[in-house]
Amino acid sequence: MPSAQWFGEAATDQDRLNRLVLGVLTVPASLYALIAVAGTLVMSYSRRGGEIAGMRMLGVSAGQVRRMALWETLSTSALGVLIAAGVVAMGARAYRGALTVFGGEAPLSVEWGMLSALTAACVLAGVVVSLAATGRLLRQSGVTMVASRR
């Protein structure tokens, strides 16, 4: 077997192993992140009954409140993705700089599919939880919502 063919097959096997290890490490961390996102949103919406009551008293429709919750979630998620991308980019740049000091060079390989799926799952979890929490608050009676205002 020529050495070029052997190196090609070995690299393919290593890539498969790298993807497997990445999946094993990121799936539990991703599930924890999704639970943390959902928990944070539930806590934040549990304190917003008075705010939503005030908006409803001012004549804001239930649909408008839901759209506001949706846009808040989407804009917060987008900002989080941008901040995370910036932090990761700085870390990758520092890592690459440290490697060049020692005479090494490593290609940057990003699993875009897995990264995109994780990002979409976090955004989806945020949207579902925020709309569910808003819907629960909107189903409360006006008296209960006003009484919850502090």
Side-chain angles (χ1 to χ4, degrees):
M1 171 183 296
S3 61
Q5 181 182 356
W6 182 85
F7 280 120
E9 289 174 8
T12 304
D13 290 339
Q14 185 64 40
D15 287 343
R16 272 190 238 120
L17 181 62
N18 286 347
R19 276 191 223 101
L20 175 67
V21 169
L22 182 64
V24 167
L25 292 175
T26 58
V27 167
S30 301
L31 290 174
Y32 179 76
L34 291 173
I35 291 168
V37 166
T40 301
L41 284 169
V42 166
M43 285 187 295
S44 81
Y45 274 95
S46 69
R47 304 301 251 151
R48 296 186 75 181
E51 177 186 345
I52 290 174
M55 289 190 302
R56 295 289 288 156
M57 288 171 50
L58 290 172
V60 175
S61 72
Q64 288 173 320
V65 172
R66 283 188 183 95
R67 281 191 298 276
M68 177 206 65
L70 176 66
W71 283 110
E72 281 181 359
T73 301
L74 291 175
S75 62
T76 303
S77 297
L79 182 63
V81 166
L82 288 174
I83 291 171
V87 169
V88 168
M90 288 186 331
R93 183 179 173 111
Y95 181 70
R96 183 167 247 172
L99 282 177
T100 57
V101 167
F102 296 108
E105 180 81 22
L108 181 62
S109 174
V110 178
E111 285 291 327
W112 290 108
M114 189 176 290
L115 186 62
S116 300
L118 176 61
T119 302
C122 282
V123 171
L124 181 64
V127 167
V128 168
V129 170
S130 67
L131 291 178
T134 302
R136 185 184 61 82
L137 289 172
L138 288 170
R139 283 190 299 275
Q140 291 179 355
S141 70
V143 174
T144 305
M145 287 175 65
V146 171
S148 71
R149 292 186 83 187
R150 295 172 217 233

